[in-house]
Amino acid sequence: MIKKAVIPAAGYGTRSLPITKVIPKEMFPICGKPAIHYVVEEAVASGIEEILIIISRTKNLIMDYFDHSLELEAFLERVNKTHLLKKTEVPNVSIQYVRQSHAKGLGDAISLAKSFTGEDPFAVLLPDDIFLGTPALSELIEVYNKSRANVIAVKEVAEQHLKDYGVIKGKQTSEGIYEISDLVEKPASNPPSNLAVTGRYIFTKNIYEKLNKLNPGKGGEIQLTDAIKDILTEERCLARISSGERFDIGKEEEYIKLIQAIYRT
Ligand code: G1P
């Protein structure tokens, strides 16, 4: 059973500068809630009971948001605005935090979750990617429960955008499911398919051993994609096309489309 999830939220958010100098991308407002609230909701809707958020020095707002605001709650009671208490609620799930001291990449951030996840298989949710519709993580958990393999969410992406993603090479084994044989992080040319990795993963504990052996890869960072490539020599890794709609909040036009889509519902 997948009960633990890791949310890496330690990056600088360079694509969204200058606002990310002071506001973490994970706290960008989406119809009154920060982006990471939706990601935590997706995890909870998928059956996750414990979450570890990897933060960095400038991300204390994330901890403040998920904490109780006792002063605010007392104030609302005092001024007879208890109907607003509901608006201060956050998803009911255990959340812990760990700090990444150097921005050494996504792979390095995930490696900090080792003692939290222990022997258990676990989920990873990248908070840039927000899904509407069926929770993408629940679809991965379904595949994991049948296969006991590592599982990655993918989406078909137009050729010109594949250079922004990890791209898989794989063979379809059933409707929407692929057996991965290779992955390339942000291919500059000749992407191996049109299936891009979209920020939801399930890993066995063996991913840590691979992460720990890695040298810096693309962009001088410890790349999660490289550890997945390495695990393929010993374990299966499946890809599942997500049925929900995906938005990358690091891209301004998708951030706006996401707000419009939620606003309409
Ligand atoms: C990361 C992963 C990449 C994946 C992407 C999805 O890249 O390294 O494989 O396709 O997330 O959002 P980033 O966008 O953090 O550079």
Side-chain angles (χ1 to χ4, degrees):
M1 296 295 264
I2 309 292
K3 294 290 169 203
K4 292 181 180 170
V6 179
I7 303 181
Y12 284 121
T14 50
R15 283 189 299 162
S16 305
L17 281 168
I19 191 66
T20 42
K21 281 165 73 182
V22 288
I23 298 181
K25 188 171 43 178
E26 298 79 13
M27 293 303 290
F28 282 6
I30 298 167
C31 298
K33 294 180 202 164
I36 196 166
H37 184 118
Y38 292 88
V39 178
V40 169
E41 273 180 346
E42 179 191 329
V44 174
S46 307
I48 294 299
E49 292 173 357
E50 285 179 74
I51 293 176
L52 179 75
I53 304 182
I54 319 280
I55 53 170
S56 56
R57 222 170 58 81
T58 55
K59 306 280 182 136
N60 292 342
L61 272 185
I62 299 176
M63 289 198 286
D64 291 346
Y65 178 77
F66 287 108
D67 203 358
H68 271 286
S69 173
L70 295 176
E71 270 174 48
L72 174 62
E73 288 166 26
F75 170 77
L76 291 175
E77 281 180 18
R78 207 168 57 238
V79 297
N80 290 325
K81 288 193 175 170
T82 46
H83 62 286
L84 291 179
L85 283 173
K86 190 119 199 82
K87 285 210 159 189
T88 68
E89 283 174 7
V90 290
N92 184 17
V93 64
S94 147
I95 303 183
Q96 298 177 41
Y97 301 88
V98 67
R99 263 196 187 195
Q100 185 190 29
S101 49
H102 300 281
K104 285 196 265 181
L106 177 59
D108 178 68
I110 303 293
S111 71
L112 302 177
K114 189 167 188 260
S115 59
F116 168 75
T117 60
E119 295 295 300
D120 305 329
F122 62 97
V124 173
L125 301 97
L126 306 190
D128 287 6
D129 294 303
I130 301 210
F131 285 86
L132 296 184
T134 311
L137 182 59
S138 70
E139 294 178 323
L140 299 194
I141 292 178
E142 216 177 280
V143 176
Y144 174 83
N145 287 344
K146 285 190 198 140
S147 63
R148 303 283 146 177
N150 301 279
V151 197
I152 300 179
V154 292
K155 273 283 205 197
E156 287 170 1
V157 160
E159 171 107 37
Q160 70 269 28
H161 297 307
L162 288 166
K163 61 174 184 7
D164 298 331
Y165 296 95
V167 181
I168 68 155
K169 178 177 179 185
K171 206 169 142 222
Q172 186 163 5
T173 55
S174 58
E175 179 72 36
I177 299 188
Y178 292 76
E179 179 92 42
I180 300 177
S181 55
D182 197 11
L183 283 103
V184 184
E185 181 66 12
K186 308 203 172 87
S189 58
N190 301 323
S193 74
N194 65 344
L195 292 173
V197 175
T198 51
R200 300 291 182 271
Y201 312 79
I202 289 177
F203 295 120
T204 67
K205 66 171 179 11
N206 299 331
I207 195 75
Y208 293 116
E209 189 199 312
K210 304 299 174 199
L211 283 168
N212 290 340
K213 283 190 192 148
L214 285 181
N215 290 318
K218 194 119 195 168
E221 297 189 337
I222 303 290
Q223 292 289 351
L224 180 59
T225 299
D226 293 340
I228 304 171
K229 269 171 85 107
D230 288 349
I231 213 169
L232 278 174
T233 58
E234 288 159 23
E235 288 185 11
R236 295 174 72 203
C237 187
L238 303 175
R240 163 78 155 90
I241 298 186
S242 303
S243 56
E245 200 178 352
R246 170 195 172 264
F247 301 84
D248 175 357
I249 61 159
K251 292 197 165 109
E252 206 160 70
E253 68 279 15
E254 291 192 30
Y255 173 63
I256 292 166
K257 277 190 190 151
L258 172 62
I259 293 173
Q260 288 169 336
I262 294 179
Y263 189 69
R264 277 198 296 268
T265 55

